Amino acid sequence: MLAPILDKEMKNYSSMKTGGMAKCAYFPENETELCEIIKSLKSENKKYIVLGNMSNVLLPDEKIEVPIVVTTEMKSVKVSDETAVYAEAGVSFTKLALDMCKRGLSGLEFAYGIPGTVGGAVYMNAGAYGGEAKDVIKNVRVLKKDGSVVTLSSEECEFSYRKSIFHNDEYVILGAEFELVKKDADECVNAARELMQKRVDKQPLEYPSCGSTFKRPEGYFAGALIVEAGLKGYSVGGAQVSQKHAGFVINRENATTADVLSLMRHIRKTIFEKNNVTLEAEIKLLGTDGEFFLL
Ligand SMILES: Cc1cc2nc3c(=O)[nH]c(=O)nc-3n(C[C@H](O)[C@H](O)[C@H](O)COP(=O)(O)OP(=O)(O)OC[C@H]3O[C@@H](n4cnc5c(N)ncnc54)[C@H](O)[C@@H]3O)c2cc1C
């Protein structure tokens, strides 16, 4: 079985570029390795956490005590018939989107610019510009708690806004099959590039971040509330509310996770006091025990 790396510095793997060490980290390169690792950890009754590109996860500054399994080396893609493509969990969602556009397969244009893996996109039902992962997912291959590998239909995945059945942690996502439609390749590529340009124009992509910090509260936009509260550019340590897009907290200069969390808590408190609206973190906050916690 693939050996873990002990005391692995994780900061550079995380999209926010914050966080400390993992006591034990695995980087499987294919489905077989991933399944072996999970089964072995389970047989020892060990807790673990499976992560993709960490573009929606904030790592703790302190050492993570549970094994981390990172899927980003699982990069196999197979166009299974004319319009269906199967991608392993670690495949870059944005790269998959552009590659499919270049082949003249349409449906993933919205995903060009979402900086996570296929596994993370399935888990989060990632979406943008009117498209969502669920619109194009045909089925998802998973490892169940009992060690069996099964395929779930899109309906069985219970997708909703940034949510799926996978939030109950019953499954490890091994890969997903997407159903696309044939279209002119240039048209697909141009549409994807237009959406990417919108991101470049609006989002602070020049700084590390985890994307939108807070979920959209009903009836409001988190970014607009933050601007109205005068918090654009507000900093705690090296973390800052982006000047370019107030919906993003960025790592402006050597921020720690503690800086990011303090800033998020300050924003939430301010907006609650001013607007009586409770902002909920969209970024998932990982504890040293491998559990996600609330802000
Ligand atoms: C600049 C920027 C822009 C962004 N724009 C968007 C956007 O437009 N739309 C959008 O929806 N999101 C956006 N995001 C957020 C993020 O990219 C998505 O949520 C993405 O889908 C997360 O994928 P990931 O591989 O990074 O997952 P991670 O952040 O590593 O993990 C997210 C969750 O998925 C779980 N997970 C990951 N892989 C697996 C697996 N194989 N099996 C089981 N569980 C797994 C993790 O445990 C965790 O709970 C943006 C982020 C950034 C930094």
Side-chain angles (χ1 to χ4, degrees), residues 50 52-56 115 117 120 123 126-127 162 173 199 209 211 284:
V50 180
N53 198 39
M54 293 167 236
S55 60
N56 205 45
T117 59
Y123 184 101
R162 303 295 169 266
I173 299 158
R199 287 177 184 272
S209 80
K284 293 176 67 88

Side-chain angles (χ1 to χ4, degrees), residues 15 49-57 71 89 113-117 119-121 123-124 126-128 162 171-173 199 203 205 209-211 248 282 284 292:
S15 186
I49 174 90
V50 180
L51 296 173
N53 198 39
M54 293 167 236
S55 60
N56 205 45
V57 169
T71 64
I114 299 182
T117 59
Y123 184 101
M124 295 301 297
R162 303 295 169 266
Y171 306 101
V172 173
I173 299 158
R199 287 177 184 272
Q203 299 181 358
L205 303 182
S209 80
C210 278
F248 282 51
E282 175 150 328
K284 293 176 67 88
F292 291 111

Side-chain angles (χ1 to χ4, degrees), residues 12 18 70 96 107 118 143 146 151 191 233 261 269 295:
N12 287 330
T18 64
V70 182
L96 180 71
V118 162
L143 174 67
D146 65 6
T151 300
L261 288 174
K269 183 169 174 282
L295 191 59

Side-chain angles (χ1 to χ4, degrees), residues 11-68:
K11 194 182 193 156
N12 287 330
Y13 291 92
S14 88
S15 186
M16 189 61 95
K17 301 282 178 265
T18 64
M21 264 188 208
K23 193 170 173 183
C24 167
Y26 294 88
F27 294 84
E29 291 184 7
N30 53 51
E31 179 181 307
T32 310
E33 286 185 0
L34 175 59
C35 290
E36 275 176 8
I37 292 161
I38 301 292
K39 284 179 191 168
S40 150
L41 292 170
K42 274 206 170 118
S43 70
E44 294 168 42
N45 266 330
K46 281 192 180 152
K47 266 177 74 174
Y48 58 86
I49 174 90
V50 180
L51 296 173
N53 198 39
M54 293 167 236
S55 60
N56 205 45
V57 169
L58 199 59
L59 300 178
D61 290 324
E62 303 78 21
K63 194 188 267 190
I64 303 162
E65 295 295 335
V66 305
I68 294 193

